[in-house]
Amino acid sequence: MNAATGIARRAQETETPGRAPAVVLPAHDGGTRLHVLAPARAWARPEAPFAARKVYAAAHVIPAVTGDNTPGAPAEIDWDATLDFRHELWSYGLGVADAMDTAQRGMGLDWAATRELIRRVGAEAARVAASGAVPAVAGLSVRDLVACGAGTDQLDLAAVPAGPAGVELSLKAYREQLAVVEGAGPKVILMASRALAKAAAGPDDYLRVYGTLLEEARKPVILHWLGTMFDPALAGYWGSEDVAAATETFLELIRAHAHKVDGVKVSLLDAAHEVALRAVLPEGVRLYTGDDFNYPELIDGDGSLHSDALLGIFAAIYPAASAALQAYDAGDPAGARSVLDSTRELGLHIFSAPTVYYKTGIAFLAWLNGHQAGFQMVGGLHSGRSVPHLVRVFELADAAGLLLDPELAARRMSAFLEVNGVPQ
């Protein structure tokens, strides 16, 4: 009997009733090792909406398992599973940020599918808000329950010219998507635009396009500044590759239209920049952190100011995020910070370089936890991370108590590894 067979046999023995489930994982030396899962952790759902922090979890879409979700093909979505996952987030008191980069805008989710997603999640949020049946979000508005991205990705980027004509095309595309989100009911997130980044000659083009959109918007929106670590096509956004100069343009826009800005989501993975920006925002404009590396201290704050949150990592750690927010509401900031800190290593790993593929780890955890039938993503993006990377996601999620059904997670992890050549 070889070593791998012996470990596999021990894993099977460990999975007998009354014993903790275990999985044979690949080892760094090329062999294998036995990982025994921790017992399931009980995470409590809140009994009322959160008061101390305003948060949205940026959710992914779940593909139809028999769909042709290959690169370049139109996205085929499992709508029931996708909406069920949003219900799960709402049940823990989190708002949902939808139709954003986390949902694979520009990386597999085409505009036709995005438009349908916005309409469906808006209608579902309206039903939840009207029923009042979910204690964690009872009394909240549709805009509190869901915010959706409006961008310009219906344009063929290759056909967008640099200069004034491209800027006008970008404005027209933004208007089309703004109308779709407003018509569906969610809060609008004005996403960063690859088309505008290509067309704009400098800061004045950004100020004109965004200023026009803000004045035309029916209600205050969230502005989204996405860094190049998430999308290299956004280099030079706000008219400069110098972050300080870009920030001044960003602030000029916000100050001129503060009555139409609910908040800003900044995803530059630079905590010092976020803290400085937070301190100079006009009164009433929220800073929704998009920093999936430094979110514990940014949400915790400095004693006078804190960040709210609109985070991709919250879709992976939502039970823990909810527990932390419940602790803030209960007047236990130390307990809240401890919970958030316990998830930091998982967040750092999921969002490690190349950061653009962070969505793969989030979908992998959703599959391990039973929220989707198969480990698949639209656009074939489930191939965006290696087996060792996903093994580490599994280990860190287990350590953080975020494998909600350890037996299911063990079975699925074993099946994944078997298919990928690791004997079980």
Side-chain angles (χ1 to χ4, degrees):
M1 180 174 67
N2 62 35
T5 302
I7 292 177
R9 187 167 295 174
R10 290 197 299 276
Q12 292 171 356
E13 292 170 355
T14 306
E15 292 176 3
T16 56
R19 296 188 182 183
V23 180
V24 178
L25 300 179
H28 298 300
D29 63 2
T32 55
R33 55 197 166 88
L34 187 66
H35 178 89
V36 179
L37 279 74
R41 179 167 176 176
W43 298 101
R45 289 175 169 83
E47 295 298 323
F50 298 128
R53 304 289 188 276
K54 181 72 176 175
V55 298
Y56 293 91
H60 72 298
V61 294
I62 298 172
V65 293
T66 57
D68 180 22
N69 284 295
T70 50
E76 296 185 46
I77 309 299
D78 182 335
W79 292 113
D80 289 340
T82 294
L83 293 175
D84 283 348
F85 186 63
R86 281 131 185 85
H87 276 275
E88 177 79 352
L89 296 174
W90 289 327
S91 78
Y92 278 89
L94 305 179
V96 172
D98 223 327
M100 296 186 65
D101 50 300
T102 309
Q104 295 181 243
R105 296 288 293 269
M107 292 188 70
L109 192 71
D110 54 280
W111 171 235
T114 300
R115 185 171 54 228
E116 183 66 14
L117 172 65
I118 292 167
R119 290 172 176 165
R120 285 178 182 257
V121 76
E124 200 67 19
R127 282 192 286 272
V128 170
S131 73
V134 182
V137 294
L140 297 185
S141 70
V142 171
R143 285 167 53 84
D144 292 319
L145 290 179
V146 64
C148 287
T152 64
D153 53 329
Q154 72 271 50
L155 297 175
D156 178 359
L157 188 60
V160 175
V167 172
E168 287 304 312
L169 278 174
S170 301
L171 177 57
K172 182 179 179 181
Y174 262 130
R175 281 172 163 154
E176 178 189 355
Q177 295 201 13
L178 178 66
V180 169
V181 179
E182 289 186 329
K187 186 179 294 182
V188 173
I189 304 168
L190 286 181
M191 298 176 64
S193 163
R194 291 174 178 173
L196 185 57
K198 178 181 179 182
D204 288 346
D205 284 333
Y206 288 92
L207 292 172
R208 186 173 70 80
V209 169
Y210 276 89
T212 300
L213 294 168
L214 286 170
E215 288 308 309
E216 291 178 355
R218 298 177 193 168
K219 295 180 180 179
V221 310
I222 297 173
L223 299 175
H224 186 194
W225 184 357
L226 191 67
T228 53
M229 68 289 295
F230 293 100
D231 190 345
L234 299 176
Y237 216 74
W238 305 113
S240 177
E241 295 198 21
D242 179 75
V243 172
T247 301
E248 285 306 310
T249 301
F250 191 52
L251 282 168
E252 181 180 346
L253 173 72
I254 295 164
R255 288 165 177 155
H257 304 277
H259 64 295
K260 283 294 188 72
V261 181
D262 168 86
V264 299
K265 168 181 162 56
V266 182
S267 301
L268 300 182
L269 303 182
D270 183 338
H273 176 268
E274 180 170 318
V275 169
L277 176 62
R278 186 173 70 190
V280 296
L281 288 174
E283 185 177 358
V285 176
R286 296 179 181 271
L287 193 302
Y288 293 99
T289 186
D291 190 332
D292 301 277
F293 288 171
N294 303 296
Y295 58 93
E297 57 265 39
L298 292 167
I299 293 170
D300 196 47
D302 57 15
S304 59
L305 295 173
H306 66 264
S307 295
D308 295 294
L310 197 163
L311 283 166
I313 193 59
F314 270 19
I317 67 165
Y318 65 89
S322 178
L325 295 163
Q326 291 175 62
Y328 280 121
D329 278 1
D332 181 15
R337 177 63 186 272
S338 177
V339 174
L340 291 174
D341 281 338
S342 74
T343 68
R344 184 196 297 269
E345 192 175 358
L346 176 62
L348 288 170
H349 181 70
I350 287 178
F351 283 79
S352 60
T355 303
V356 68
Y357 293 114
Y358 73 88
K359 309 167 191 71
T360 305
I362 291 174
F364 188 65
L365 274 182
W367 174 64
L368 290 177
N369 280 321
H371 296 304
Q372 53 191 83
F375 175 44
Q376 295 183 25
M377 300 175 72
V378 297
L381 201 66
H382 49 284
S383 64
R385 292 294 200 185
S386 67
V387 169
H389 178 92
L390 295 175
V391 166
R392 188 62 178 151
V393 169
F394 171 80
E395 291 179 300
L396 292 172
D398 184 36
L402 292 168
L403 296 179
L404 306 182
D405 181 342
E407 290 188 1
L408 174 65
R411 288 196 303 272
R412 290 193 165 188
M413 191 69 195
S414 292
F416 170 78
L417 291 170
E418 182 77 39
V419 167
N420 282 277
V422 180
Q424 295 296 297

